[in-house]
Amino acid sequence: MTGGRCPSKAKINGKTVIITGANTGIGKETARELARRGGRIIMGCRDMEKCEAAAKEIRGDTLNPHVYACRLDLASAKSVREFAENIKKKEQRVDVLINNAGVMRCPAWKTEDGFDMQFGVNHLGHFLLTNLLLDRLKESAPSRVINLASLAHLVGKMDFEDLNWERRKFNTKQAYCQSKLANVLFTRELAKRLQGTGVTANAVHPGVVSSELGRHTGLHQSQFSTTVLSPLFSLLVKNPELGAQPSIYLAVAEELDGVTGRYYDVLTEKEPAPQAMDEEAARRLWEISSRLVGLEEDEGHSGESGQDNLPAQSRQTHGRNPGAVVGPVGL
């Protein structure tokens, strides 16, 4: 139960906020509070039925009519591109982008484009979305990008030779930790590349929160764990409302104007793991991610030539896995 409520009382009237995975958990509570503070809220979710219901609930609760549900499946590059194009056509500004959605410790599923589900949703989907919205963010500056990371990045390791678990035996815990380390590395490299634009980028660990994110963990794999351990665990962790406070803080706090490239453990700035401070790893992850999602590399930032060091998924036609029925959920 570390950390309290967002200390800032700042309003965000006239500002547009995009939140991924906002139909449940932390994302939903973040949307609720930012709507209460006057923001124009766009909720990006895979499950439109749940998203529409959540948006309607938040509109009624906050009396803010400007809360919208939009389809976004971060496990599909096509969906991400369609969502971003829709935003650029309909929205004049994007003041805050909260990359909240995530999946944790799921089976060895693949995204629509053939990537490991956790790496694909938690990192690549948000990497692509953020890059596609950079022009709007720059035009709306000062603006903010907030990436929800996790304490799990502390034991994460980037295996650049096998990001998609094609050569190793799949380990869902290690895959999750790798994706969370990628979140922090991405944040630091993004902040570096956005210097002077008025767009800031920060990562945050929200604390341990009771949400649907843990649906694939051992707490739900037996009757004993479901009926005894899970309720006990719920008493020891934050509810989604408290879990949303760090995201809200990074989105609205006036004292954070211009603060960028930082990592927050709940409401406190801390130094991330040593491997998350590796500038060469951050640069390499950016370049590989750009190729994997089909983004053009900026001139002057070319990295390794050819495709020898890229995961096999980027060198072949991406397959589909019809059984991978999973989508973004609030962290």
Side-chain angles (χ1 to χ4, degrees), residues 97-139:
L97 170 61
I98 303 179
N99 290 320
N100 162 86
V103 289
M104 181 175 76
R105 299 184 68 173
C106 63
W109 288 332
K110 298 294 184 183
T111 68
E112 180 179 285
D113 306 290
F115 303 121
D116 166 61
M117 185 63 71
Q118 293 182 91
F119 185 68
V121 169
N122 297 351
H123 170 62
L124 289 177
H126 285 126
F127 175 86
L128 176 59
L129 176 64
T130 303
N131 274 278
L132 293 176
L133 294 179
L134 278 184
D135 286 345
R136 275 290 180 275
L137 286 159
K138 291 175 182 177
E139 292 165 2

Side-chain angles (χ1 to χ4, degrees), residues 254-272:
E254 294 167 335
E255 62 267 30
L256 296 183
D257 285 347
V259 174
T260 191
R262 312 293 176 82
Y263 169 77
Y264 288 81
D265 185 339
V266 191
L267 300 176
T268 304
E269 182 190 340
K270 290 190 177 179
E271 187 170 291

